[in-house]
Amino acid sequence: TVDFEGASYSYNLAYDEQGNTVGCAINVAPVGFGGPIAIKVGFDANGVIWNTKVLSQAETPGLGANLANPDNVVRKSIEGRKAGEVNLKVKKDGGDVDALTAATISSRAYAEVVAAAYEAFIMVNK
């Protein structure tokens, strides 16, 4: 685990055959509209957001619960981008992240968790 700003984040590192770190997956659980949303965020060694996955959530069915859909617009607007070069806030708040229709609070939580995971990634890679 790595600790910062009063929270603990568990993580796993991935290595290539030579033992070089090639990625990091970090577990984070922000509070969304319906409660905590457990998300795993994967980064490559350069801080590019490789993948995000909702592990559990209690968001409103048909609205915020759509964050668990692998094709959701929030996830698509984040993945493949270098975390340090994207404003990880929803567009409504001046950021670069698309929000689910009628699920802004849930979308904000998702974007914020990716930002927190990136901060943890930086701590892990010091």
Side-chain angles (χ1 to χ4, degrees):
T1 62
V2 62
D3 300 319
F4 74 71
E5 295 185 3
S8 291
Y9 301 90
S10 63
Y11 67 91
N12 301 91
L13 296 174
Y15 303 95
D16 64 15
E17 295 82 21
Q18 291 77 36
N20 300 310
T21 303
V22 294
C24 181
I26 300 177
N27 294 317
V28 214
V31 176
F33 183 77
I37 305 170
I39 299 174
K40 184 175 288 272
V41 182
F43 298 93
D44 74 6
N46 298 312
V48 173
I49 303 161
W50 184 255
N51 194 2
T52 61
K53 179 173 175 94
V54 174
L55 304 174
S56 66
Q57 54 83 25
E59 298 301 283
T60 306
L63 297 173
N66 288 335
L67 288 174
N69 178 340
D71 294 326
N72 79 68
V73 297
V74 180
R75 183 177 178 185
K76 285 185 169 192
S77 68
I78 292 173
E79 290 179 0
R81 299 179 78 178
K82 189 165 184 173
E85 296 174 357
V86 62
N87 185 346
L88 291 169
K89 293 182 181 180
V90 294
K91 288 182 178 176
K92 184 176 185 177
D93 297 335
D96 297 325
V97 179
D98 292 325
L100 291 172
T101 302
T104 304
I105 294 171
S106 301
S107 300
R108 276 186 184 122
Y110 200 100
E112 288 170 6
V113 75
V114 174
Y118 181 62
E119 294 298 322
F121 171 81
I122 292 169
M123 299 289 289
V124 167
N125 287 297
K126 280 189 174 181

